[in-house]
Every structure is written in C-alpha cells, then in structure tokens.
C-alpha cells in the first residue's frame, strides 16, 4: 500500500578500541526496532545503564611503587628520583645517573618527559 515508517534514534557505546562507532550504530538500530515495533524482551532493561569507573593514568610515584625491587630495582630508584626532582638541574642529574642503563626503557623516558612537563621545562 506504499506506507512507510521512519525513525531516528541515537546510539552510544563505550569502547577503548576502534569498534565504538559500530557498537553505537548497532545499539541505535536495536533500540529503534524494539521501540518502533514494541518488541518485548526478557533481557536486562539496558546493559549500558551503568557507567564503568573512570580510569586515570598512574602517577610516576604509583608506577614506582608498583615495581618489584628484585626485578626492577634500578628503574624503581630512577622513578623515585624523578618524582623527587624539583627543578631542571635535579632532573638532569637523574637523567645523567640512569640514562646509560635505562635509555632504551620506555617507562623511564616517558616518566622523564612527563616530569619535565610537570615542572614546566
């Protein structure tokens, strides 16, 4: 008979990878069909109703505390000294002290860079 039904729905999804858009589109279609055609379901009201806790990057001190002194003793000491550095000279001293041993360690170089930014250098 030429009749048609048009609907618009918004989908939202939480994904730390590259599938967030696909999940959002699937959710939008699912809920549009469920609501438009009044399809009853026995499933949970909305599995996305609760929000996962927010994650935050660890501080350099938290990273240092989480390291095992037996296996990562040098890195643990270096990170502790990075945290204690209060100016450009003290941070440079940490770099000079540990760069030979840890220059290829990404954790060391990232923490040095973060601390440099924190100090406004």
């Amino acid at each position: 008979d030429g009749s048609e039904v048009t609907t618009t729905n918004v989908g939202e999804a939480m994904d730390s990878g590259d599938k967030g858009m696909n999940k959002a589109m699937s959710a939008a279609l699912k809920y549009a069909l469920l609501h438009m055609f009044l399809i009853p379901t026995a499933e949970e009201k909305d599995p996305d109703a609760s929000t996962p806790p927010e994650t935050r990057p660890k501080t350099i001190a938290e990273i240092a505390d989480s390291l095992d002194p037996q296996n990562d003793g040098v890195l643990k000491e270096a990170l502790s000294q990075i945290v204690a550095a209060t100016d450009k000279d003290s941070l440079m001293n940490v770099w000079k002290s540990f760069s030979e041993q840890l220059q290829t360690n990404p954790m060391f170089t990232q923490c040095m860079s973060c601390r440099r930014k924190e100090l406004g250098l």
Side-chain angles (χ1 to χ4, degrees), residues 31-76:
Y31 289 108
L33 294 173
L34 287 175
H35 292 261
M36 185 168 53
F37 296 115
L38 301 174
I39 300 170
T41 64
E43 69 182 45
E44 187 181 326
K45 214 38 164 168
D46 183 3
D48 294 324
S50 62
T51 304
E54 207 173 302
T55 56
R56 64 171 179 79
K58 288 186 175 183
T59 64
I60 299 170
E62 289 172 331
I63 294 168
D65 289 343
S66 70
L67 294 174
D68 177 18
Q70 296 263 337
N71 298 322
D72 301 309
V74 174
L75 180 58
K76 184 176 180 78

Side-chain angles (χ1 to χ4, degrees), residues 9-30:
N9 202 5
V10 177
E12 182 178 37
M14 185 90 164
D15 192 309
S16 59
D18 61 344
K19 294 174 184 63
M21 179 62 75
N22 292 338
K23 287 181 178 180
M25 289 172 22
S26 295
L29 177 61
K30 173 185 171 182

Side-chain angles (χ1 to χ4, degrees), residues 52 95 116:
W95 177 258
R116 186 176 51 82

Side-chain angles (χ1 to χ4, degrees), residues 78-90:
L79 297 186
S80 296
Q81 288 188 28
I82 289 171
V83 170
T86 57
D87 58 19
K88 182 180 180 179
D89 292 335
S90 59

